[in-house]
Amino acid sequence: MEKDIYIGDVQSGAHDGQQIVLKGWINRTRGSNKIRFIVLRDSTGRIQCVAKRADVGDDTFEALAGALIETSVIMTGVVNVDERSEGGHELVVDSATIVGPVNPENPFPITESAMANAEGGETEFLLDNRHLYLRTARMTQMLKIRSSVFGAIHGYFRGLDFTEYHAPNFVAGAVEGGSTLFEVPYFGRKAYLTQSWQLYAEAAMPALERLYTIAPSFRAEKSRTRRHLTEFWHAEMEIAWAGNEDVMVHGEGVVRHIARTLLDERSDELAALGRDLDLVARYADNPYPRIRYDEAVETLQGMGVDIEWGQDLDYSKEKVLTQDFEVPHFLTHYPRIAKPFYHRPDPDDPKYVLCHDLLAPEGYGEIIGGGERTWSETEILERIEEEGTPREPYEFYIDVRKYGGVPHGGFGLGVDRVCSWLAGADHIREVIPFPRDSRRVTP
Ligand code: 4AD
Ligand code: MG
């Protein structure tokens, strides 16, 4: 039953002249009363299948002639090399079986005219039909790129002996500030969906020393920008005996490794999406400069952007700043008042914290946030008090620091953002199968 021949293999010439069985879905169909040209698709590509009434018999011919788009079929025939066909091959069909028909009263809804005429516009129409939109070429390409990005992240960290480690998703406190917390009823109490794996990772830091994860994080973001989701995939790492600089080396390392992996594994998909492969190669091959927050603020002010020292950079500002970047840049040393309590103040100038954001070029902006942690008990108590955060949810976090605290740090990388940037997508929702934002939890 398991399928053994994929269209991609046929198109690459692995079965020329052979009699084969192809399983897939009808992507397009046309023809006459004597001959049908059926474009079959599967997860690897498309191929034209030619069925003549004289070869397949009346019953099969009528079934194929009446089969609608997205009908699943099994076709048997001979592979013909034909330069005029898409991909250079076609299947000359001798028999065919319809597996899953499509009812003519309810045809596949995603068509050019339906998109053009949709009441709420094309984007909403495709989001409403996301469960069906997934099988279009564009989404298939995005999902394959996404899979390679996940593989590259696992490969990078496992290759350096990091241990994969898991933290709870139901938590009692904020990591990144209370304004984006999702509250959930929890057996008569309140709990929250976690914004980050970090605090629980720090608890395991003395046990594992080098740890990472890829897991969903949640943010109750009302803003619907091209880079915000309420549920996103977060690759995070934590490392013992390390400072801000050491952590940045891994941030740069993993992002360059992702870009290199995509060039190795997904050049065809990137090219099909219209992505310039030279840009991706540039991101894989070149070092990422480091600049201080103050310098970035001055640059922005010089460009006429209205920004005051002490503000975190929001998307509108990062967009302007990164428009002309040739490669991603690290922004370091943000003002202490702009960042959460866990960031370690710079001993040389405690107005700043030892942190970094990695900003992607082409206007994409922040893809990584990280830095060195406040690791002594006295300092963390000061920071919590200074922020005015209630102490109770963080008792475990403080406790960890009572028993052999060491310098350590880590970062979080927004996996969907990296996919979006490297694929050259217009919007983050293009790279995740079922995007969640403030207006949408369906389908
Ligand atoms: O900068 P953030 O908020 O940092 C943290 O959560 C740290 N606790 C991570 C750590 O040090 N372990 O988030 C990290 C990254 C951002 O740079 C961004 O790429 C992504 O997570 N991110 C989002 N991606 C999509 N939608 C959202 N709403 C996101 N919020 C953050
Ligand atoms: Mg951030």
Side-chain angles (χ1 to χ4, degrees), residues 162-192:
F162 280 72
T163 303
E164 185 173 353
Y165 163 84
H166 302 109
N169 284 326
F170 288 124
V171 295
V175 189
E176 298 300 322
S179 66
T180 62
L181 270 182
F182 272 116
E183 193 178 305
V184 280
Y186 200 82
F187 305 106
R189 271 174 296 164
K190 268 188 216 165
Y192 305 101

Side-chain angles (χ1 to χ4, degrees), residues 66-205:
L68 299 186
I69 287 173
E70 288 305 316
T71 299
S72 50
V73 290
I74 301 174
M75 305 258 205
T76 305
V78 173
V79 178
N80 210 3
V81 178
D82 181 349
E83 290 311 317
R84 290 161 309 169
S85 296
E86 177 182 337
H89 297 82
E90 63 174 21
L91 189 79
V92 181
V93 181
D94 51 43
S95 70
T97 313
I98 291 190
V99 179
V102 173
N103 185 341
E105 282 167 24
N106 196 17
F108 193 64
I110 301 179
T111 60
E112 295 286 331
S113 68
M115 286 194 292
N117 299 324
E119 234 173 68
E122 180 179 325
T123 304
E124 288 302 308
F125 172 78
L126 292 178
L127 285 167
D128 287 339
N129 286 287
R130 193 70 168 191
H131 51 295
L132 302 176
Y133 184 58
L134 293 184
R135 31 178 120 179
T136 61
R138 189 177 169 83
M139 270 314 291
T140 304
Q141 285 146 5
M142 288 294 191
L143 294 177
K144 288 186 179 187
I145 289 169
R146 184 179 172 89
S147 170
S148 287
V149 170
F150 276 69
I153 295 168
H154 284 294
Y156 177 84
F157 286 115
R158 284 173 178 258
L160 293 172
D161 272 333
F162 280 72
T163 303
E164 185 173 353
Y165 163 84
H166 302 109
N169 284 326
F170 288 124
V171 295
V175 189
E176 298 300 322
S179 66
T180 62
L181 270 182
F182 272 116
E183 193 178 305
V184 280
Y186 200 82
F187 305 106
R189 271 174 296 164
K190 268 188 216 165
Y192 305 101
L193 294 179
T194 196
Q195 296 167 311
S196 163
W197 156 102
Q198 180 193 325
L199 303 191
Y200 290 91
E202 287 187 60
M205 174 276 296

Side-chain angles (χ1 to χ4, degrees), residues 29-38 51-53 61-62 64-66:
T29 164
R30 67 186 170 89
S32 67
N33 199 23
K34 293 206 174 76
I35 184 165
R36 302 293 307 176
F37 299 94
I38 295 166
K52 291 184 188 151
R53 187 186 284 276
F61 189 84
E62 293 302 334
L64 286 178

Side-chain angles (χ1 to χ4, degrees), residues 176 196 198 219 229 232 234 236 366-369 373 412 414:
E176 298 300 322
S196 163
Q198 180 193 325
R219 306 276 168 107
L229 295 166
F232 70 98
H234 206 170
E236 296 183 82
E366 180 185 344
I367 50 174
I368 279 183
R373 315 306 187 192

